[in-house]
Amino acid sequence: MVVTHCPYCALQCGTALRRENGRVTVRPTDFPVNHGGLCQKGWTAPALLDTPDRLLDPLVRGRNGELVPVDWDTALDTVAGRLHHIRTEDGPDALGVFGGGGLTNEKAYLLGKFARLALGTSQIDYNGRFCMSSAAAAGAAALGVDRGLPFPVTDLGQADVIMLAGANPAETMPPLMRHLDRAELIVIDPRRTRTAERAVLHLQPAPGTDLALALGLLHIAVVDGWCDNDYIHRRTRGFDAAWRRAMTWWPERVEQVTGVPVIAQREAVRMLGAAQRPYVLTGRGAEQHSKGVDTVAGFINLALALGLPGRPHRGYGCLTGQGNGQGGREHGQKADQLPGYRLITDPDARAHVAQVWGVLPGVLPGAGRSAYELLDALGTATGPRALLVFGSNPAVSAPHAGNVTNRLAALDLLVVADFVPSETARMAHVVLPVTQWAEEEGTMTNLEGRVLRRRRLLTPPPRVRSDLEVLRELATRLGEPAHRYPTAPRDVFEELRRASCGGKADYSGISYERLDAGEVLHWPCPASNQPHPGTPRLFLDRFAHPDGRARFAEVDHREPAETPDADFPLYATTGRVLAQYQSGAQTRRVAELNAVEPEPFVEMHPDTAERAGLRDGAMARVSSARQSTVARVRIVQTMRVDTVFLPFHFPGAGRANLVTNPALDPLSRMPEFKVCAVRIEPYGDPP
C-alpha cells in the first residue's frame, strides 16, 4: 500500500492505493482537504491504470501514414534528428514545447530547462495558460504574489459567508464542499449549477458582465458604509482610483447591464459586510475572458475594500483547477517565467537560474509566445515547425479548436508524450509512451500552496519510460551533457530547490525527507539554519510588495470581444461537469464515468429551444463565427433565455471549443472561453 494523492484536480485529495490479486483499489485518507471523502472521479481513478488502449510502445508514423510500433532508440533518434535538422535550418525558435498543469513539479521544471537549454527555444508554454493565468496576474498585481489560496483549505470550514465568483466546486472539486457546509454561499454564475443550488443567494449575470457586477458591488460597499476604512488606510494603496471607476456603476446601471436585480446586489454586499468570517473566491468563470485579469481584480478590489485579505478568518483566494495547476506555473514551463516564479526578463533571475544550470545568463532565451499564440503560429512562416507536447491535449482543450488542429497538422514534426492515445497524440508523427500517476514518484503543489508527495505503487510496463528519462535521452542526442538532466525525481527536486531559492515560490527549505516525515509545508519555505515551518497563511503581517501594502486596481467594464447579433443571437458559455475532467482524455476511458456523461450536450432554456425548433433529447448544431459543434439538447428551466452551455470534455464534431473565441486578455493572454456569440438549429444524426 502507498499513501498518495488523487491524479485529478488541484484539491489533491489524499488517497491510499493497494494492489490485491492483480487489481488496484483506492480509498480516501483523512487528509485535510478531503476529510476521508472522494468524488466519483477519485473513486474510479484506478480504472485508468489498465485502460485497454494504454500506450505501451513508441510509435512512429510510417510512409503509409499509419503509426507503427518501433523501439525506443529508433523513436528517439527520429525525434532528435528532425529537431536538429529544423533547428539548423531555421534556428531554435522553430522548435516549440507545450506542457501541462498536471505534470509533477519535477517534470515541469525539467521540461522548462530542456526547452531553454537543449532546444534553445523561447517557444514554450502550457495549458495552465487556459486555466489560471488571469487570476495569477491579478493576484500578483494586487497582493504581490500568486498563490491560489493564501490560507489552508480548512480555514474555509469556519467561514460564515463565502462568495464564489464563477466557481462550481460541487462539480469540479466536490470534496471541497465539505468545507463550505457551514457557510452561507453567494454564487455568481450565469447557470444555476449544483453549487448555485446550495447557495443562499444566486446572482445570475449575463455572460461577460462579471466585471460590471464586481464594480457595482464595490459601489454598494462604499455608498452603504460596508468598507473597512482603517484597513484601506493602513494596508492598501490605490483605493481612490478604483473608487472613481466604481463610482459610475450605481446599482440600477449594473442591473441593466448584467440582469442582476438591485436587491440581490445589495443583499450580497450586506451578507459579506455583516459576516464575521467572510471570504471571496474566484474561479474560471471570472477568469476565462478577454478581460479576465480586470474581472478578477474587480473581485479582489471588493475583498480589499471589505478588509478581507491578509487577516485571520477572512480572505480572498482563487480555486486553482488542474492537479498541479499551482506548481506547474511556478517552475519554468510558462513562456515568461523561470523556476521559483521568477520573470525570465529579470536580469537577476536569469543570473541565478543560469548559475544553477551551469551556463551563462546570455544562453537563456527570452520570453516566448503564450499558449494560444504559440498554437496559432505552428507551421506558419514565422512560427515553430516542430512541437513537443507533454501532458496536454490541445486538439480538444484549446479555443478555436478547428484552427488549432489545422495548425498541428501543418507541422513538420509533432511529438506527443502521453500514456493514452489522446486526440493530439493521434495526430502526431511520433508518440512516446510515458508513465502515469501511480507508476511514478514526484511532488505536486495543491491549490493552497502545500507541497505534496506523489508515491509510486506500480512498476511501469516494460517499454514505458518516464518523462524525465525521455527528456534526458533527447537532450543528450542534441548534444547536452547527461548530468544536466537527472532522471530520479528526488535529484530533480534537489536542483529545483536551488533554482527556486530566493524566488517568490521558494521551495529551498522543502525536501523529500521532510515531506516523507509527514511535515506540512506550504511555500514559501526558504532554506535556513533551523528548518523553516513553511507559510500556510500569507500576508498576515504585510503583502508581498516592497512597501507591504496591497494594491487596488483601476479597472472598468468593457464588452466581451464578441456579443450576440442578428446572425448569432445567443451567448454560449463553456465549463466542466462532475463525471468528466479537462479534455476527457482520461475520464472518457473510465466506463463508470462515461456511462454518466457519454456524449456532448447543450443546455438551454425551454423558450430558447422552442424558438429554434428543438426539443429535449434532439440533436442541435451550435454555430459561431468560427465553426460549428454538434450536441444533444438538454432543456434546463433555470438557464437564462439568452444563454446556452456546452461542456468542453468531448472530442470530434462535439468539441465545444470549435465555437469558442480565441480573443486574448492583453495581460494574461487568457482566451475568452466563457462567452461567444452563437446560433442554434436542429441537426440530423451526428456524424
Side-chain angles (χ1 to χ4, degrees):
M1 184 189 79
V2 298
V3 176
T4 186
H5 296 272
C6 179
Y8 291 114
C9 80
L11 206 56
Q12 286 294 287
C13 295
T15 60
L17 298 179
R18 187 185 301 274
R19 189 172 189 177
E20 298 175 318
N21 302 319
R23 180 171 169 265
V24 176
T25 60
V26 64
R27 64 173 177 81
T29 61
D30 192 24
F31 189 65
V33 301
N34 58 306
H35 284 324
L38 286 177
C39 75
Q40 194 173 16
K41 293 186 289 290
W43 279 113
T44 59
L48 194 62
L49 297 171
D50 56 2
T51 184
D53 61 348
R54 170 76 188 270
L55 293 169
L56 298 172
D57 293 283
L59 305 173
V60 173
R61 198 170 296 280
R63 293 183 178 179
N64 64 354
E66 299 295 321
L67 286 168
V68 296
V70 297
D71 61 78
W72 269 100
D73 282 338
T74 298
L76 293 167
D77 289 345
T78 298
V79 174
R82 293 187 188 178
L83 291 174
H84 178 75
H85 175 74
I86 292 169
R87 185 171 63 181
T88 300
E89 283 196 337
D90 287 338
D93 279 355
L95 311 178
V97 176
F98 199 83
L103 300 179
T104 63
N105 290 318
E106 292 80 0
K107 289 192 277 189
Y109 171 82
L110 205 67
L111 185 62
K113 182 180 181 182
F114 169 84
R116 294 180 173 106
L117 296 188
L119 299 182
T121 184
S122 67
Q123 301 300 295
I124 174 173
D125 211 72
Y126 80 127
N127 64 12
R129 179 76 67 173
F130 300 154
C131 180
M132 286 300 305
S133 57
S134 291
L143 310 174
V145 69
D146 157 44
R147 199 177 87 187
L149 294 184
F151 47 79
V153 166
T154 49
D155 284 6
L156 296 173
Q158 300 302 311
D160 46 19
V161 174
I162 299 175
M163 174 178 281
L164 293 162
N168 181 20
E171 293 194 75
T172 59
M173 46 180 63
L176 180 67
M177 298 303 288
R178 293 179 174 220
H179 300 279
L180 310 186
D181 282 342
R182 180 181 181 275
E184 294 184 322
L185 301 184
I186 305 164
V187 172
I188 300 172
D189 200 305
R191 300 169 59 226
R192 188 160 181 80
T193 62
R194 294 192 188 190
T195 308
E197 289 171 356
R198 298 269 295 272
V200 171
L201 182 63
H202 176 204
L203 311 184
Q204 201 167 3
T209 65
D210 307 67
L211 179 51
L213 180 57
L215 288 160
L217 297 177
L218 177 59
H219 182 108
I220 292 170
V222 175
V223 173
D224 288 6
W226 293 111
C227 290
D228 187 330
N229 293 313
D230 179 64
Y231 173 97
I232 292 170
H233 175 72
R234 288 186 302 104
R235 301 206 60 188
T236 73
R237 291 193 184 280
F239 172 77
D240 289 344
W243 167 236
R244 280 195 297 271
R245 296 290 188 179
M247 187 184 299
T248 64
W249 286 95
W250 53 90
E252 291 77 14
R253 182 187 180 196
V254 172
E255 178 174 350
Q256 186 177 30
V257 171
T258 68
V260 177
V262 170
I263 191 172
Q265 298 174 46
R266 291 195 184 280
E267 178 62 8
V269 177
R270 186 204 64 77
M271 288 174 64
L272 283 172
Q276 295 299 307
R277 298 182 176 188
Y279 290 82
V280 173
L281 305 178
T282 58
R284 305 300 81 73
E287 300 159 26
Q288 290 179 322
H289 297 273
S290 60
K291 56 178 182 296
V293 175
D294 287 356
T295 302
V296 176
F299 285 105
I300 296 176
N301 282 351
L302 174 64
L304 289 171
L306 296 173
L308 308 189
R311 296 176 70 184
H313 311 302
R314 53 184 56 209
Y316 161 78
C318 171
L319 298 179
T320 303
Q322 295 188 76
N324 200 30
Q326 184 67 59
R329 66 183 183 268
E330 295 168 359
H331 297 303
Q333 63 171 335
K334 197 174 177 185
D336 56 352
Q337 286 182 357
L338 290 171
Y341 223 130
R342 290 178 161 93
L343 287 176
I344 201 168
T345 53
D346 178 359
D348 291 338
R350 294 170 63 85
H352 174 83
V353 173
Q355 189 274 330
V356 173
W357 288 353
V359 300
L360 295 173
V363 170
L364 303 181
R369 294 177 172 94
S370 71
Y372 182 77
E373 291 165 304
L374 173 60
L375 295 171
D376 188 44
L378 298 176
T380 66
T382 59
R385 293 171 52 191
L387 184 71
L388 283 70
V389 178
F390 286 77
S392 189
N393 188 19
V396 175
S397 63
H400 197 1
N403 175 59
V404 169
T405 52
N406 288 339
R407 301 279 29 97
L408 291 168
L411 287 165
D412 294 339
L413 176 66
L414 174 60
V415 181
V416 175
D418 211 330
F419 58 87
V420 293
S422 70
E423 287 68 29
T424 306
R426 290 176 183 148
M427 299 182 66
H429 299 99
V430 181
V431 179
L432 304 175
V434 292
T435 52
Q436 58 170 312
W437 61 287
E439 301 165 353
E440 62 187 20
E441 296 283 323
T443 60
M444 309 283 276
T445 306
N446 77 348
L447 78 171
E448 58 186 0
R450 177 170 170 169
V451 182
L452 309 168
R453 280 279 279 119
R454 172 174 282 184
R455 294 183 176 88
R456 170 173 157 172
L457 174 72
L458 304 174
T459 300
R463 294 179 300 283
V464 168
R465 296 189 181 180
S466 74
D467 302 74
L468 302 180
E469 291 171 327
V470 168
L471 292 172
R472 181 170 72 174
E473 291 293 329
L474 288 175
T476 56
R477 282 169 168 81
L478 292 167
E480 285 283 286
H483 69 81
R484 192 170 279 167
Y485 300 89
T487 58
R490 185 182 297 260
D491 294 340
V492 177
F493 191 81
E494 286 300 305
E495 184 179 309
L496 181 157
R497 292 174 63 194
R498 298 196 304 275
S500 72
C501 183
K504 289 186 176 181
D506 190 335
Y507 283 40
S508 60
I510 302 173
S511 66
Y512 272 40
E513 289 76 16
R514 295 187 71 185
L515 295 174
D516 288 343
E519 292 194 56
V520 177
L521 299 173
H522 298 73
W523 70 260
C525 183
S528 57
N529 292 332
Q530 296 298 319
H532 193 283
T535 314
R537 293 174 183 85
L538 294 171
F539 315 133
L540 294 180
D541 299 317
R542 54 184 287 116
F543 292 97
H545 288 296
D547 63 1
R549 292 172 178 259
R551 305 292 197 261
F552 280 88
E554 186 179 357
V555 296
D556 206 349
H557 175 68
R558 59 185 183 274
E559 291 292 324
E562 188 173 271
T563 54
D565 57 22
D567 293 326
F568 302 102
L570 298 169
Y571 293 107
T573 190
T574 64
R576 290 189 278 163
V577 296
L578 175 61
Q580 300 288 357
Y581 180 72
Q582 300 298 87
S583 74
Q586 298 173 66
T587 48
R588 284 186 276 108
R589 288 174 163 81
V590 177
E592 185 176 331
L593 298 177
N594 224 35
V596 177
E597 296 290 4
E599 63 178 356
F601 62 86
V602 54
E603 292 182 353
M604 64 186 71
H605 190 275
D607 292 350
T608 310
E610 184 178 2
R611 284 198 294 267
L614 291 162
R615 55 177 174 77
D616 193 59
M619 297 302 296
R621 185 197 303 275
V622 183
S623 303
S624 72
R626 286 155 295 283
Q627 209 165 342
S628 300
T629 187
V630 177
R632 194 171 300 280
V633 173
R634 288 189 183 175
I635 302 298
V636 178
Q637 297 282 346
T638 56
M639 284 293 293
R640 292 176 56 102
V641 294
D642 60 358
T643 302
V644 299
F645 167 77
L646 295 156
F648 68 89
H649 311 290
F650 301 98
R655 283 176 291 172
N657 279 318
L658 289 169
V659 303
T660 49
N661 192 347
L664 302 179
D665 183 286
L667 183 60
S668 69
R669 316 309 287 167
M670 168 73 83
E672 192 146 65
F673 288 103
K674 289 302 183 192
V675 54
C676 66
V678 299
R679 64 172 176 264
I680 55 172
E681 56 196 334
Y683 183 78
D685 293 333

